[in-house]
Amino acid sequence: MNDNNYIEIRNLNFSRDGRNIYNNLSMDIPKNKITAVMGPSGSGKTTLLRLIGKQLDPDSGTITINNTSLNQISRKELFLLRSKMGVLFQSASLFHDLNVAENVAFPLRVHTNLSDSMINDLVSMKLEAVGLRGAKDLVPSELSGGMARRVALARAIILDPSLLMYDEPFVGQDPIILGILKSLIQKINLIKQTTSLIVSHNIAEVLSIADMIYIISNGEIVAQGSADAIKNSKSDFVLQFINGYTDGPVAFNFPAEQDYTAELLGNTNA
Ligand SMILES: Nc1ncnc2c1ncn2[C@@H]1O[C@H](COP(=O)(O)OP(=O)(O)OP(=O)(O)O)[C@@H](O)[C@H]1O
Ligand SMILES: [Mg+2]
């Protein structure tokens, strides 16, 4: 494995219910940088994060994380590896019956034997970092969407992960929260020397913070490079994607088994 990479994906194939999600995908995620994977809805971004977390296994190919191949990993090694991964899920996924402090403390309770007072201090530090130390005793139903996402971020960083994965961190946030999230992602990456992986279709935000960008479609990488390289790309796909053109190489329709006219006419043999 190349020393500059935190994750290397090689010749990855993955299909679901007979549909190919990834075709021979190879991708490097550089160490201590912010990498973004962009692609249309349904292109497999969340699936990629699940493959990296080994919640899913590829049909073939390899994923190597920090010199450990996920193909040969033991349960114990996987538990350890996951303790170094923080994930900010597409929905904040807080535990509704726990207050903010206990939500953030949760990974510490699973992965460490720290005392309650130590845990309280660490939780306060992370909540302070996301500006929500004062919200410690609230329960998730008392939080706004933007607050919930910041609590989820505090929980994702509580173990000081080496790898932080963000699934659509910017969706549904107002411009102020969006700015706060962006600067938090950058700060965490810089101060904590974290490898950050963002999957998102939020073009402007990604172009402004990512060091490396991959654009995927139909299970393959259709463009890769720095934000500038992507902005200046002449590829039809990249132009469609970053400008939001309705016409172009990306089809709007999820593939259907039956021809549309035939379906409307009730002709099941078409
Ligand atoms: N649990 C599942 N079982 C079967 N198919 C699934 C499952 N989860 C996702 N898929 C399929 O896998 C494909 C990729 O889904 P995924 O959630 O990774 O897309 P995405 O790029 O994250 O989309 P979005 O931008 O809308 O979040 C989709 O075609 C979806 O229908
Ligand atoms: Mg998704």
Side-chain angles (χ1 to χ4, degrees), residues 7 12 16 28 34 46 49 61 74 80 85 96 131 157 159 167 170 175 218 220 226-227 250 253 260:
I7 302 177
L12 179 99
R16 253 186 152 152
D28 291 341
I34 301 179
T46 299
L49 299 187
S74 67
L80 186 72
M85 285 182 193
H96 291 284
I157 59 175
L159 292 168
D167 196 349
F170 309 118
N218 295 325
E220 293 169 10
S226 65
V250 182
N253 289 314
Y260 184 44

Side-chain angles (χ1 to χ4, degrees), residues 17-66:
D17 304 333
R19 261 179 310 109
N20 266 359
I21 315 276
Y22 284 110
N23 294 317
N24 216 25
L25 180 89
S26 293
M27 184 184 269
D28 291 341
I29 312 290
K31 213 177 262 181
N32 302 344
K33 298 263 196 285
I34 301 179
T35 299
V37 175
M38 310 191 74
S41 182
S43 60
K45 300 180 300 295
T46 299
T47 303
L48 184 67
L49 299 187
R50 296 214 179 106
L51 287 160
I52 291 172
K54 206 173 157 72
Q55 279 88 22
L56 293 172
D57 286 315
D59 301 329
S60 64
T62 57
I63 300 177
T64 310
I65 303 180
N66 202 14

Side-chain angles (χ1 to χ4, degrees), residues 5-189:
N5 294 333
Y6 192 77
I7 302 177
E8 283 181 3
I9 298 174
R10 292 292 175 269
N11 310 106
L12 179 99
N13 288 289
F14 182 72
S15 56
R16 253 186 152 152
D17 304 333
R19 261 179 310 109
N20 266 359
I21 315 276
Y22 284 110
N23 294 317
N24 216 25
L25 180 89
S26 293
M27 184 184 269
D28 291 341
I29 312 290
K31 213 177 262 181
N32 302 344
K33 298 263 196 285
I34 301 179
T35 299
V37 175
M38 310 191 74
S41 182
S43 60
K45 300 180 300 295
T46 299
T47 303
L48 184 67
L49 299 187
R50 296 214 179 106
L51 287 160
I52 291 172
K54 206 173 157 72
Q55 279 88 22
L56 293 172
D57 286 315
D59 301 329
S60 64
T62 57
I63 300 177
T64 310
I65 303 180
N66 202 14
N67 291 314
T68 307
S69 162
L70 293 189
N71 289 357
Q72 288 118 30
I73 199 165
S74 67
R75 285 178 70 92
K76 207 172 151 192
E77 283 174 316
L78 182 62
F79 190 70
L80 186 72
L81 191 72
R82 283 196 184 139
S83 72
K84 294 179 192 150
M85 285 182 193
V87 187
L88 188 67
F89 295 100
Q90 198 158 357
S91 55
S93 304
L94 298 175
F95 302 112
H96 291 284
D97 46 351
L98 297 181
N99 70 14
V100 164
E102 277 310 313
N103 262 286
V104 178
F106 191 79
L108 289 172
R109 301 215 183 271
V110 174
H111 286 281
T112 73
N113 295 316
L114 296 175
S115 68
D116 280 352
S117 80
M118 191 76 134
I119 288 180
N120 281 341
D121 288 351
L122 288 170
V123 167
S124 292
M125 280 160 64
K126 300 303 184 200
L127 282 174
E128 178 71 16
V130 299
L132 289 176
R133 194 167 45 82
K136 235 183 215 174
D137 299 324
L138 299 184
V139 288
S141 60
E142 295 170 305
L143 304 173
S144 73
M147 288 165 85
R149 190 145 310 180
R150 281 188 285 158
V151 172
L153 180 56
R155 184 177 64 185
I157 59 175
I158 191 75
L159 292 168
D160 286 332
S162 326
L163 172 68
L164 201 40
M165 298 193 277
Y166 301 88
D167 196 349
E168 298 291 356
F170 309 118
V171 166
Q173 305 299 321
D174 72 33
I176 299 173
I177 297 290
L178 222 141
I180 293 174
L181 279 170
K182 252 169 56 177
S183 83
L184 279 172
I185 293 174
Q186 285 179 305
K187 263 192 219 154
I188 294 166
N189 193 75

Side-chain angles (χ1 to χ4, degrees), residues 35-46 49 90-91 149 166-173 178 182 197-210 213-217 230 237-245 250:
T35 299
V37 175
M38 310 191 74
S41 182
S43 60
K45 300 180 300 295
T46 299
L49 299 187
Q90 198 158 357
S91 55
R149 190 145 310 180
Y166 301 88
D167 196 349
E168 298 291 356
F170 309 118
V171 166
Q173 305 299 321
L178 222 141
K182 252 169 56 177
L197 176 58
I198 304 177
V199 304
S200 171
H201 40 228
N202 211 311
I203 321 277
E205 313 315 326
V206 162
L207 288 178
S208 69
I209 62 171
I213 296 169
Y214 290 96
I215 301 184
I216 51 171
S217 173
I230 296 290
F237 185 90
V238 176
L239 287 171
Q240 182 188 6
F241 192 68
I242 64 179
N243 295 305
Y245 299 148
V250 182

